[in-house]
Amino acid sequence: MDSILVVNAGSSSVKFEIFEVAGSGGLQRRLKGQIDGIGVKPRLRADARDGTLLVDRSYDTAKIADVPAAIAAVADWLRETQPFDLVAVGHRVVHGGPDYDRAVVVDHAVLERLERYNSLAPLHQPNNLAPIRLLLARRPEWPQVACFDTAFHRTHSAVADHFAIPEHFYAEGVRRYGFHGLSYEYISGRLREIAPDIAGGSVIVAHLGSGASMCALADGKSVESTMGFTALDGLPMGTRPGQIDPGVLLYLVGEKQMTPDALQNLLYRDSGLKGLSGISNDMRELEKSAAPGAALAIDYFVYRVALSAGMLAAALSGLDAFVFTAGIGENSAMIRARIAEKLHWLGVVLDPEANATRKSLISRPESKVRLLVVPTDEELMIAKHTLALLSQTKATPHIAQMS
C-alpha cells in the first residue's frame, strides 16, 4: 500500500505516523508512535490504528544520543517490521519565515534557506530540519515535504503583522508570524464538518499545551494570533514566558550582565509554568500540587488566556465560538472551567457536566458564545499537504519500499 511517513521532530522526542493512501486519494492512519527521552532514557513506542501495541523498546543512552540517531532507530524498526511502499515523507517545520506561505518540496537549497530561521525557533527549527538533512543524504530518492506552522497565518493584514519599528525591519522579515498553524488549519477544517453554522463566523481557537497560543478565525482564516516573531510571545507556556516587556530583557542584559546564551536559556527553558511554579512545566503535576507556586502558575495561565481572548474578540469585532484544543485544552476540565468563568462577560455559560465528561460541546444552550473541545491532528494535516503537493508535482507511487 502506498504510504506517507509523517515526522514531527523535537529536541528530546521524534513523533512519527504512517498514513496509507487510498485509491480515492484519501488517507488512513496505519500506525503512530514516538521515540522520546533522546539522550537521557530513549524509548520507542508505537501503536497500530486499532490501538494494538506494536513496539515498546528502550535503548542505551549512548545509542540514541541525538535526533538523527533517533530517526535512524525509527527507520530500522519500520524497515524490519512494517513493510510498506513509501511515496513521501512529510515534516513539521515550525518557521517558514517570509519566504514560505505554503508547504514545499525540500531540496538542499530549500533546506539552506530554512536553516536561516534556526535562531528564531532554537528549540524547534534545528530539530525539525535534522531528519530532513539526514534523509536528503541517505535517501535522496524520497520526496520530502516541509509543512510550516507559520503558513496558515499569512492571511493576516499588514496592520496585524507589523511591529511599531522602522519599516525596513519588516522588509527584512521582522514581523509577527504566528505559530501552531497546522493545528489551527486542522481545527478550521474540522469545524466545517462538526459545526458548519459557526465555522464561517468569528471563532477563537485556544491551542493550550506545553506550547500554547490562541488564534482568531474569521470565516476559517487566521486574522490574528497571540504569537509573533518567535514562539516566545503571547501566552505563558511550559517553559516559555509568553508576553514580556522588552525592557525586562534590556535590564537583564544591562544590569545583570546576562549573555545572549543565558538569556535564551532563561526564555526558552526556565520560564513559563516552570519558572512561576518552581515545581514543573507540566500542568498535570501543577493541578495535583498544593504548593503556592503551583497555584500562582495556574492562576497566571488562566488570567493570560482570558486577557488574550478579549484581545482576539476585539480583532474579530465579536465572538461566536471558543474552541479548546491540544494537551491541556483537550484534557483539563479544570482549566477549561476556570477560563470559561473568566469569559462570562462575553456571554459564556459553561455546562459543568458536559465539561467534566469531555463532551465536544461544553456550553449551555443559553450561552451567547459556543464552547467546544475539538482534538487537533497536526500529523493528518501534514499528510494531507504532502499528498496534495505530490499530486501537483506528479511525484507518483512506488518511490521506495521499506521491506
Side-chain angles (χ1 to χ4, degrees):
M1 175 70 74
D2 298 333
S3 301
I4 291 172
L5 170 63
V6 170
V7 178
N8 186 345
S11 58
S12 61
S13 68
V14 174
K15 297 178 183 178
F16 61 94
E17 299 195 16
I18 299 290
F19 290 87
E20 295 177 345
V21 181
S24 60
L27 292 163
Q28 185 173 37
R29 185 178 277 106
R30 172 171 170 170
L31 64 85
K32 65 184 300 182
Q34 71 174 42
I35 184 165
D36 55 20
I38 297 171
V40 184
K41 290 183 178 180
R43 181 186 180 191
L44 170 64
R45 183 182 174 92
D47 299 296
R49 68 174 67 134
D50 63 0
T52 302
L53 179 65
L54 297 174
V55 63
D56 190 348
R57 180 186 301 170
S58 296
Y59 297 84
D60 290 338
T61 301
K63 186 172 182 180
I64 312 292
D66 53 24
V67 170
I71 290 291
V74 170
D76 287 344
W77 175 75
L78 289 172
R79 184 169 50 251
E80 293 166 3
T81 67
Q82 304 293 318
F84 56 88
D85 293 329
L86 186 66
V87 297
V89 184
H91 300 266
R92 177 196 179 203
V93 176
V94 164
H95 217 305
D99 297 328
Y100 299 106
D101 62 357
R102 65 199 67 190
V104 62
V105 175
V106 184
D107 57 19
H108 288 284
V110 170
L111 179 62
E112 184 177 344
R113 293 182 75 89
L114 294 176
E115 287 174 337
R116 299 176 187 176
Y117 311 127
N118 283 357
S119 63
L120 304 187
L123 287 188
H124 301 90
Q125 195 84 352
N127 296 303
N128 297 159
L129 300 181
I132 298 177
R133 186 183 304 104
L134 180 70
L135 293 177
L136 277 174
R138 295 188 180 181
R139 302 303 297 260
E141 73 275 17
W142 289 356
Q144 296 191 77
V145 175
C147 302
F148 304 105
D149 263 336
T150 50
F152 184 66
H153 301 293
R154 295 298 293 275
T155 51
H156 288 186
S157 68
V159 168
D161 266 357
H162 271 74
F163 293 108
I165 56 179
E167 177 67 15
H168 70 86
F169 288 109
Y170 181 85
E172 294 167 9
V174 182
R175 58 185 72 175
R176 299 185 67 249
Y177 291 100
F179 297 88
H180 293 130
L182 291 164
S183 176
Y184 295 128
E185 185 178 9
Y186 175 82
I187 297 298
S188 176
R190 186 75 177 122
L191 286 176
R192 296 192 184 279
E193 299 172 359
I194 66 173
D197 56 322
I198 61 170
S202 299
V203 180
I204 293 174
V205 183
H207 179 105
L208 307 180
S210 179
S213 69
M214 295 164 67
C215 176
L217 299 179
D219 192 22
K221 295 181 175 60
S222 174
V223 298
E224 183 58 89
S225 171
T226 56
M227 280 185 169
F229 182 56
T230 70
L232 285 171
D233 201 6
L235 304 179
M237 292 164 259
T239 61
R240 287 169 272 169
Q243 182 181 4
I244 187 170
D245 182 345
V248 173
L249 310 184
L250 295 175
Y251 169 81
L252 294 176
V253 171
E255 299 295 324
K256 297 294 185 179
Q257 286 79 52
M258 288 190 74
T259 65
D261 285 346
L263 187 59
Q264 178 172 289
N265 194 61
L266 170 71
L267 295 175
Y268 279 99
R269 294 181 172 85
D270 290 329
S271 297
L273 299 178
K274 178 183 177 182
L276 274 174
S277 70
I279 297 171
S280 174
N281 64 333
D282 191 323
M283 183 63 79
R284 292 167 296 188
E285 293 185 24
L286 298 180
E287 288 187 28
K288 294 175 184 176
S289 176
L296 173 63
I298 292 172
D299 288 347
Y300 186 83
F301 183 82
V302 170
Y303 177 68
R304 301 306 301 193
V305 170
L307 284 183
S308 295
M311 175 190 76
L312 296 179
L316 291 165
S317 300
L319 190 61
D320 298 313
F322 188 101
V323 178
F324 293 96
T325 194
I328 298 171
E330 294 172 26
N331 297 303
S332 177
M334 184 270 281
I335 293 296
R336 292 194 300 265
R338 292 196 54 182
I339 291 171
E341 183 181 9
K342 289 280 188 182
L343 301 183
H344 183 72
W345 67 276
L346 281 169
V348 168
V349 182
L350 179 73
D351 182 331
E353 182 179 354
N355 182 45
T357 54
R358 301 183 65 174
K359 295 289 175 53
S360 178
L361 178 65
I362 61 170
S363 54
R364 293 183 58 81
E366 65 268 26
S367 182
K368 294 180 181 178
V369 175
R370 201 176 305 183
L371 292 179
L372 298 117
V373 181
V374 182
T376 192
D377 197 336
E378 294 163 298
E379 285 75 20
L380 178 58
M381 206 70 245
I382 293 168
K384 286 183 174 181
H385 280 301
T386 301
L387 182 60
L389 200 54
L390 286 179
S391 300
Q392 292 170 15
T393 57
K394 302 186 185 300
T396 49
H398 304 292
I399 300 299
Q401 186 172 20
M402 294 192 72
S403 58

